[in-house]
Amino acid sequence: MTFGERLRQLREERNLTQKAIAGIIGISPRMVSFYESGAHFPREEGTLLKLAQFFEVSTDYLLGYSDVRCVEQLRKLNQAFQGLPEAERESLMDYLDFLSAKQKRPKP
């Protein structure tokens, strides 16, 4: 999914108009339309950050580098992971691999 598609999806999930988003972020409604159509991309880092903060997603999610939307959960997970001893980190990664493989298996 592209940046524009994600932006439109997030906006529509909140039942907001392009004009409303433009006012919140401080850009023109036409620019929001350009972003959503893929005709333009935010030139200023601040615009991208404002969008991510408003929608409570990471910039990685907006840019399509990640499918994880909840920034706060990622922060908590990262802090917990960093606080673990190396052996427990490895065990946790093994468990995540197990869960991922289990999810991919076809259901009978």
Side-chain angles (χ1 to χ4, degrees), residues 54-67:
F54 176 75
F55 288 114
E56 298 176 330
V57 297
S58 68
T59 53
D60 281 352
Y61 178 80
L62 271 179
L63 296 172
Y65 297 133
S66 171
D67 289 329

Side-chain angles (χ1 to χ4, degrees), residues 26-38:
I27 57 177
S28 72
R30 186 172 178 166
M31 192 55 67
V32 175
S33 176
F34 286 151
Y35 292 164
E36 289 185 0
S37 70

Side-chain angles (χ1 to χ4, degrees), residues 42-60:
R43 291 183 184 167
E44 296 180 21
E45 180 182 314
T47 301
L48 189 62
L49 291 173
K50 285 178 188 177
L51 287 166
Q53 289 171 345
F54 176 75
F55 288 114
E56 298 176 330
V57 297
S58 68
T59 53
D60 281 352

Side-chain angles (χ1 to χ4, degrees), residues 72-84 89:
E72 191 54 38
Q73 286 179 337
L74 284 175
R75 285 186 187 131
K76 285 175 100 175
L77 182 60
N78 186 44
Q79 286 176 342
F81 186 80
Q82 295 298 324
L84 294 174
R89 286 184 192 182

